[in-house]
Amino acid sequence: MWRALAFLALLALAAYGAVWLADRPGVVTVTWGGYELATSLAAALVGVMVLAVVLGFVWAFARGILNLPERLTLSSRRRRQARGYNALSRGMVAVGSGDPIAARRHAGEAERLLGPEPLALLLTAQAAQISGDRAGAERAFQRMVDDPETRVLGLRGLFVEARRQDDETTARAYAIEAARLAPSVTWANEAVMESQCADRDWSGALDTVSRRAGLGLSDKAAMRRQRAVLLTASALDLEAGDPERALAQAREAVKLAPDLVPAAAVAGRLFARRGDLKRGAKAIEAAWRANPHPDLARVYLDLRTGDSSRDRLARAETLARISSWHPESRFAIARAAIDAREFSRARDVLAPLLADQPTAHAYELMAEIEEAEHGAQSGKAREWQARATRAPRDPAWCADGLVTDRWAPISPVSGRLDAFVWQTPPDLLGRAHSGPAHEPEPAATSHNPGSLNGGAPAKAGNGTATIGTIPPGTVTPPVVPVPVKVPEVVGPGR
């Protein structure tokens, strides 16, 4: 619509100009070389326009002849580039489908046609990776490192290859260099922090966590949790040699993650060691309200050295009242009652747990009661032990398939930070129930009014010793991360 109106306006303007020239006739005279040419103004204007058009065609033809070699070269280059990118695309598809022969063929063609193109180098490296040619992959990644545009990607590839060869020192060097060149690269930051944790350099790992949060690589909640875990790990290392500094770190960890059981446990122990029983009890009680846990119960019952068994039993009952008779508090009361030789009290407090999906720990405590009261050869003790072997497992610290009673800041399998979770482990032994889950137990009747408040399935326990489990009382060696050997192909999106 607007184009039509514009055309009509220009046409009207041209008509007006023609009429204006017709109303004002004139003569144009050209004198050159002794010749004189006279014509009308309208004819002169038409001649000038025709001459301009002819000169334009002549110039375009001459320029086309002059630029013909360059145009032929550019056309050949574009065809070559199109073939190269087509080979590159086919090579990426071959890598994705796991065809090493096609991947190498297309990688060679792409590199021949495109030259030192970053994507061609990447395809060459990936083709070498899926073919098992580690040396070829390293050469391709080293060529990327030599190019400033692909240096970080090349370092990533060399890092992966070093990890595959179990060369942690070289892998760490590549990660540190990549983090220096590109501070926002996630994999480099994670690798640096993993190496710091493996060296138990908790202060360096804390700096890395803060830097990651400053760059926006982790949200605030994740940063607080990671800092709490690292501070707890540092406090555990300093607990024996520098208790004051360890206590300060444990208290900060508790503030960052109130539900982190190891942080509250080490804070309670250090308060008790300093003689500040009130603050130690307060720290444990606050954590117990959020997450009743056997580690907290052990620290709480042992806050004051020299307490009698009855004092420990009273402390256990305090935990039960705080948690509204959580199953874990019943375990703590039963343990303290056995130590105080109040066997009927121990039976009463375990009765609700035995009536509703009892776990192995409940049966083990009942066996311990019978052994303490009637001797190790008691028939009832053996019966309880037999039921314990078939009962569901109690929660334990689990990480990457490892089951243990001891918490660690990093997984000894994968090296991940904060990998351990308190949960019921999978039953690797395939234990089956040999009867109803709540068969009647004549020796476990309850006469304690407080026991009427419980009866929920046990959610925590001491963790039974099974395959991959660290027995209680053993000294856990320093946790050293071992990278999981998972095949990895380096690409632009990784």
Side-chain angles (χ1 to χ4, degrees):
M1 177 65 181
W2 289 107
R3 290 183 180 181
L5 292 176
F7 175 76
L8 292 175
L10 291 175
L11 188 61
L13 183 62
Y16 175 78
V19 172
W20 186 84
L21 288 175
D23 292 342
R24 293 168 177 77
V27 177
V28 176
T29 303
V30 179
T31 303
W32 183 62
Y35 294 94
E36 182 175 320
L37 178 63
T39 184
S40 65
L41 178 60
L45 289 177
V46 171
V48 169
M49 293 176 62
V50 171
L51 181 62
V53 171
V54 171
L55 290 177
F57 277 112
V58 172
W59 171 249
F61 179 77
R63 191 173 64 176
I65 296 296
L66 293 175
N67 293 338
L68 182 60
E70 182 180 356
R71 292 177 61 187
L72 292 176
T73 302
L74 181 61
S75 176
S76 175
R77 186 183 306 162
R78 287 178 177 174
R79 288 196 302 270
R80 183 183 182 89
Q81 191 177 48
R83 289 170 55 200
Y85 281 113
N86 184 44
L88 187 64
S89 176
R90 293 176 181 272
M92 290 294 183
V93 172
V95 169
S97 59
D99 186 352
I101 297 177
R104 288 198 303 270
R105 183 177 71 253
H106 292 308
E109 184 179 0
E111 193 168 358
R112 178 179 60 83
L113 294 172
L114 298 177
E117 173 72 23
L119 287 178
L121 290 176
L122 177 60
L123 177 59
T124 300
Q126 290 181 332
Q129 281 182 324
I130 67 172
S131 302
D133 183 7
R134 303 298 180 210
E138 289 183 2
R139 287 194 299 270
F141 288 128
Q142 189 60 55
R143 291 172 61 188
M144 293 184 192
V145 172
D146 297 336
D147 187 349
E149 293 185 357
T150 59
R151 184 166 297 162
V152 176
L153 180 57
L155 289 170
R156 165 67 168 164
L158 293 175
F159 168 80
V160 171
E161 292 301 321
R163 276 286 183 87
R164 287 177 174 173
Q165 298 173 12
D166 293 332
D167 189 353
E168 288 299 321
T169 302
T170 304
R172 183 182 308 180
Y174 290 140
I176 293 174
E177 178 66 13
R180 185 186 66 82
L181 294 174
S184 60
V185 175
T186 302
W187 70 266
N189 282 276
E190 291 178 350
V192 169
M193 187 169 66
E194 181 179 317
S195 299
Q196 291 168 334
C197 292
D199 294 338
R200 307 187 78 82
D201 180 12
W202 308 122
S203 60
L206 285 168
D207 293 338
T208 301
V209 168
S210 300
R211 183 173 65 252
R212 284 168 51 84
L215 294 172
L217 300 180
S218 61
D219 55 25
K220 189 174 181 180
M223 184 268 292
R224 290 171 63 89
R225 177 72 183 189
Q226 290 177 343
R227 282 189 60 85
V229 172
L230 292 171
L231 287 168
T232 303
S234 179
L236 288 170
D237 285 353
L238 297 172
E239 185 175 0
D242 191 352
E244 290 301 322
R245 184 181 171 194
L247 178 58
Q249 292 180 341
R251 294 179 66 184
E252 183 180 354
V254 170
K255 291 180 181 178
L256 292 171
D259 61 339
L260 186 58
V261 170
V266 69
R269 286 197 302 268
L270 291 170
F271 273 126
R273 180 176 175 181
R274 199 168 66 172
D276 194 348
L277 302 181
K278 183 176 180 180
R279 299 178 73 179
K282 185 177 179 181
I284 298 297
E285 290 170 359
W288 183 266
R289 288 188 180 92
N291 186 13
H293 195 279
D295 292 350
L296 297 175
R298 281 191 289 270
V299 174
Y300 192 75
L301 268 60
D302 295 335
L303 277 178
R304 181 162 39 211
T305 58
D307 276 354
S308 66
S309 299
R310 293 185 179 275
D311 292 334
R312 290 165 52 84
L313 179 57
R315 285 184 176 276
E317 290 176 344
T318 300
L319 291 179
R321 290 192 295 271
I322 291 174
S323 62
S324 300
W325 292 86
H326 186 275
E328 192 55 51
S329 65
R330 293 182 177 275
F331 289 141
I333 292 176
R335 164 58 53 198
I338 293 172
D339 294 339
R341 302 194 65 80
E342 294 190 12
F343 304 120
S344 60
R345 173 63 173 145
R347 290 189 180 94
D348 289 344
V349 79
L350 291 175
L353 301 182
L354 296 173
D356 190 1
Q357 297 182 357
T359 60
H361 190 39
Y363 286 134
E364 289 169 356
L365 285 174
M366 290 299 299
E368 191 171 347
I369 293 171
E370 295 297 334
E371 289 179 1
E373 187 174 10
H374 303 293
Q377 302 302 320
S378 170
K380 288 186 177 180
R382 291 195 299 269
E383 181 182 352
W384 288 117
Q385 287 288 4
R387 290 177 179 174
T389 61
R390 301 188 299 271
R393 302 177 68 181
D394 292 272
W397 291 112
C398 303
D400 300 322
L402 178 68
V403 180
T404 175
D405 294 330
R406 301 283 296 276
W407 177 86
I410 58 177
S411 168
V413 178
S414 63
R416 288 189 300 119
L417 180 67
D418 193 24
F420 278 95
V421 179
W422 184 257
Q423 64 183 15
T424 302
D427 198 341
L428 300 179
L429 300 181
R431 293 182 293 181
H433 294 283
S434 60
H438 51 277
E439 54 186 299
E441 311 297 346
T445 56
S446 172
H447 302 289
N448 177 25
S451 66
L452 298 178
N453 299 328
K459 296 182 181 179
N462 66 339
T464 55
T466 62
I467 297 173
T469 303
I470 301 174
T474 58
V475 178
T476 305
V479 179
V480 179
V482 179
V484 177
K485 302 301 182 296
V486 179
E488 183 173 2
V489 175
V490 178
R494 295 189 63 82

